[in-house]
Amino acid sequence: VVYSRVGQESRRLLLLLLLLAAWEAGNGQLHYSVSEEAKHGTFVGRIAQDLGLELAELVPRLFRVASKGRGGLLEVNLQNGILFVNSRIDREELCRRSAECSIHLEVIVDRPLQVFHVDVEVRDINDNPPVFPATQKNLSIAESRPLDSRFPLEGASDADIGENALLTYRLSPNEYFSLEKPPDDELVKGLGLILRKSLDREEAPEIFLVLTATDGGKPELTGTVQLLITVLDANDNAPAFDRTIYKVRLLENVPNGTLVIKLNASDLDEGLNGDIVYSFSNDISPNVKSKFHIDPITGQIIVKGYIDFEESKSYEIIVEGIDKGQLPLSGHCRVIVEVEDNNDNVPDLEFKSLSLPIREDAPLGTVIALISVSDKDMGVNGLVTCSLTSHVPFKLVSTFKNYYSLVLDSALDRESVSAYELVVTARDGGSPSLWATASVSVEVADVNDNAPAFAQPEYTVFVKENNPPGCHIFTVSAWDADAQENALVSYSLVERRVGERALSSYVSVHAESGKVYALQPLDHEELELLQFQVTARDAGVPPLGSNVTLQVFVLDENDNAPALLAPRAGGTGGAVSELVPWSVGVGHVVAKVRAVDADSGYNAWLSYELQPGTGGARIPFRVGLYTGEISTTRALDETDAPRHRLLVLVKDHGEPALTATATVLVSLVESGQAPKASSRALVGAVGPDAALVDVNVYLIIAICAVSSLLVLTLLLYTALRCSALPTEGACAPGKPTLVCSSAVGSWSYSQQRRPRVCSGEGPPKTDLMAFSPSLP
């Protein structure tokens, strides 16, 4: 029997158009085709050229082809970029009875990472003949069977597809039987004999027939089975089922003992000839016998094996009902069991390729990993979606079918998060849904994007003068948030000129520890403030750095003795000579000792003492404790010696105190013998000098008030500027206490010349400080 192929050609054309549309929308996917059983080396396609890759870059970019479960069938020649057949391809082994059969290839290249998807369709050839379950089938048919009785046969099977598996049957010529045409239902392989002439056992007890199956391939292939029909006598009525075909839906994974269907056949005979025994046909496959059992009395078919939709989507069971007559008769029916899918397969999740670690300055969209997912279930149960751990700077992008790319979605900062533990979850659409997870650790590689940082922009250091050379005065420390060599910090001075000398002649800094050393003894009288900058620089490429300012205050020590100012004209041998009239009264200023101290503060605060005379003689003079003014203590008389040699001890308030001695020669003369200048001076000493002392007292009080306000302002500024007291160097003393002078005190300049304050900015400034004596 030959069937019309017009409808099949229309379906093939429609399928071809659908495949062409899918290829156009395949997002760059390549499609090739090759016939099964093609020889080794058969050309498939110019894959490198079609993917837009240069032949010269295939090897450097690590061009490779991966095929899940299909390794070795196809290969690429890296010299010419041609995809060829590498080993035998058997479509029936790859895809069994599936109408569509293709090999999916993943083409992966690195630097940068790219992935391409290639489908190679395997075309079927007619290399499998039709095969019957057995080479011979025995049939027992009663001679009383009416005309047009049907006797089912098991059809042949062909491992090919399409026209190569389109079978036609023909029966050897005979006068009793004709061949029944199979139905259009693809699930039913119905085939049978139709009785066209009544049987007569006495005339023909046995009938031999040959059934031939021919496929639609070119060339055609055939298969045959011999039919041995034994004609039985007696029993007039065979068992008859309600229907010839039963269709049942059965959920997969049902437990053993589940009822599939209860069959019911009837026989018009009585007694044993009407008693029916149910059984499976001998033609059914062993797989069906292992899955199902039929009760011979009740006709119930129950499950006795594991029913798996992924193993088989349907089962065809041929059931016989045989009566118990002496010459038993049989009736037949087909039970089509359609297995329904249950969501019993967990999605499969696999990382195809990883590109780790990722730099923290990687651009958005950088591909980190390629992920494939699959599910053996069908329909919504096999529809898989992927999700990623929330609140991470990455996202999943669907690229092709069940393929995803893990890409960078937002900027990275290694200093905030150095690694991410990502969990990819694949979940199917079943109810309830099943899911699987896969974890990947993404390490963030460091780049040099952080400069070394100091705890504060400026430090104040106090160092005593006359320190030993190489003394450690301070340690700077900077912290770099980067890692490894990007966080390796070294320190250096910002070189500049300090007066006429280089900064590096005063201080140095250790490159690794950040310790600052004074290379030579510092002199407060030469340099009160040394301000400079230290640079911290990391070892990154390019390196980053930052500066910190150090203000080094050189604290004064009492290393300068008081120095007497040059005597006025008329002195001899460094002594001051004064002529004093006999007639002067009490408190008359006869001379003034002037001295200065190069130190500052208490170390420069001078006091004057009059040394007692030789022999214990009573001297009618005294010296002002802080003014240095020598004045009379009483009126002079004839008992006083005409000449007095006064020794004035000048002493500072340092620890220990340093001193100097001044000699004053006082000669008592008559009023007419005193020089005019001296007379004028003596006359003016009583009036103007006394007035000047009063003015100085008020001036000292005013300056003291202003100095106190200035000191208070500096203390408040320092407290606000620094949260803690600055660290002092190993050579630094305690901070000196600054006070103002009292009404009986005096101002003292540390030097007649202006002291140098080297801060690096602006001209030197005068250091003027006020002190108060500890004596009443």
Side-chain angles (χ1 to χ4, degrees), residues 72-92:
L73 298 180
L74 300 172
E75 194 57 67
V76 175
N77 187 331
L78 297 181
Q79 302 299 323
N80 53 26
I82 292 177
L83 181 67
F84 63 93
V85 176
N86 188 44
S87 60
R88 176 178 175 269
I89 301 175
D90 186 356
R91 193 204 65 81
E92 289 73 28

Side-chain angles (χ1 to χ4, degrees), residues 459-465 472-474 522 528-529 551-556 718 722 725-736:
Y459 292 93
T460 302
V461 182
F462 295 93
V463 180
K464 287 184 178 181
E465 66 174 331
H472 171 227
I473 61 175
F474 193 69
L522 300 176
E528 294 183 12
L529 172 62
Q551 292 190 359
V552 179
F553 287 92
V554 182
L555 301 180
D556 182 54
T718 305
C722 305
L725 290 176
T727 305
E728 295 182 0
C731 307
K735 203 170 184 180

Side-chain angles (χ1 to χ4, degrees), residues 520 538 675 712 734:
Q520 62 181 16
D538 59 33
L712 180 60

